[in-house]
Amino acid sequence: MRETTRRAVLGTAAGLSTVPLLAGTTPAASIALDEEQILQQMADAFGQQLRSPIMHTPAEQDLDYEDVTFQAIDGVPLEGWFIPARGSDKLIIANHPMGFSRSGLPGHLEPWKSIWSSSGNGIEVNLVPDYKILHDAGYHVLAYDLRNYGLSGAANGGIASSGIFESRDVLGSLRYARERRDTRRMRIGLFSRCLGCSATFHAMTRDPRAFDSVRCLVGPQPVTMEVIMARRLVMAGVPADRIGELERRVVLRTGIPFAARQPQQWAKGVRIPTFLYQVHDDTLTHPSDVQTMFDNIPVADKKLQWIPGTNRRFDGYLEFQRRPQPMLQWFASHMGS
């Protein structure tokens, strides 16, 4: 029996499952029971997401900042930082990947280390240096926690919706920027990461006019939930063809099937210049997923950049800190100097 079946340590966007071998069962029965427990615990994690804490602040990068709160378009309170850049008329609005907060994810600490180590991602991702880079390049930054993450409000029963409900947060951030006296006339760009990017795609499909004055989008690593969960099943020693059974259980927990969680389809609603980037050999997805999203974006002004030399997804979230020039050039070319 494979070790991953005897003791499967699983992480999803929502939480942690640890499934031990059951005592007093035959090996065959143990495998069957383990698979059922893995499937159920994965589905249960969609029903209650694990919050990543705010482990870092802009003060660590010697940045002045303001703690802010504003509402999503359905009234959910969202928490964030506003980091001013003196003399600038350009604003970048940044959100975060699944399971993260605006400050990142402590993948080097438990329980996150156990969640992510099986896929090679048991490292810390500190997103605050991203804001320093943007600030020093001349941008004000509004960074916020999506609902059910960080310090933002709980909503929709705490379930993971893969961008559907989170799109209301994206729209709320745009409304806040346009209503705030010192930012209302600024040129706006979006830095929407992973889940945040999927939520941005969905927001464009539901309210395209909200993006009329948005200059551009940089979107690291959006992902289709069915794709990433099929990969997680295999890593846990569960056959990938049981994805349908997992979906059935996810629907029972959340009411939202994988078929409704489709950033590949939402990408067809994108109407602004868009730059996507992705770890090509990411163990948690397939290149075809982001490639299809990119192909579906119906604008000529778009770019897809692959990150080579690693299979660790979290390296994609750190790419901006390591090699920011392509993204900064994209922002500069579309938002002006």
Side-chain angles (χ1 to χ4, degrees), residues 301-317:
D301 192 1
K302 59 182 179 177
K303 178 179 179 179
L304 172 58
Q305 176 173 297
W306 295 109
I307 303 169
T310 181
N311 62 8
R312 191 164 63 179
R313 182 170 183 81
F314 285 10
D315 284 330
Y317 301 138

Side-chain angles (χ1 to χ4, degrees), residues 175-248:
R175 183 174 65 184
Y176 174 69
R178 289 168 176 150
E179 291 178 348
R180 190 180 156 116
R181 185 167 60 180
D182 56 352
T183 61
R184 65 179 59 171
R185 293 183 177 85
M186 288 185 181
R187 290 171 278 178
I188 296 174
L190 303 178
F191 191 24
S192 302
R193 308 174 180 102
C194 184
L195 169 62
C197 185
S198 297
T200 301
F201 287 173
H202 191 274
M204 290 189 201
T205 69
R206 66 182 296 160
D207 189 0
R209 293 187 64 183
F211 295 84
D212 282 351
S213 61
V214 175
R215 300 297 185 92
C216 63
L217 165 66
V218 171
Q221 307 199 131
V223 66
T224 300
M225 193 52 59
E226 185 172 7
V227 173
I228 196 170
M229 294 312 298
R231 297 291 293 163
R232 300 311 295 255
L233 284 176
V234 171
M235 289 180 180
V238 178
D241 62 9
R242 300 212 68 192
I243 190 69
E245 173 59 19
L246 176 60
E247 180 178 31
R248 184 187 73 81

Side-chain angles (χ1 to χ4, degrees), residues 51-109:
R51 287 178 182 258
S52 177
I54 304 298
M55 298 288 289
H56 303 279
T57 74
E60 297 175 10
Q61 299 289 325
D62 295 321
L63 294 170
D64 293 329
Y65 71 99
E66 175 188 349
D67 289 313
V68 298
T69 184
F70 57 93
Q71 291 185 343
I73 60 167
D74 60 354
V76 175
L78 305 177
E79 302 293 326
W81 296 314
F82 177 70
I83 304 169
R86 182 174 297 180
S88 173
D89 66 347
K90 297 173 291 185
L91 171 68
I92 302 296
I93 302 177
N95 55 29
H96 58 81
M98 59 184 185
F100 286 51
S101 71
R102 75 191 107 132
S103 78
L105 184 137
H108 60 309
L109 302 176

Side-chain angles (χ1 to χ4, degrees), residues 35-62:
E35 287 187 7
E36 295 308 309
Q37 289 185 344
I38 290 168
L39 288 165
Q40 189 57 50
Q41 291 189 23
M42 287 178 116
D44 288 344
F46 277 84
Q48 188 63 53
Q49 299 178 83
L50 177 65
R51 287 178 182 258
S52 177
I54 304 298
M55 298 288 289
H56 303 279
T57 74
E60 297 175 10
Q61 299 289 325
D62 295 321

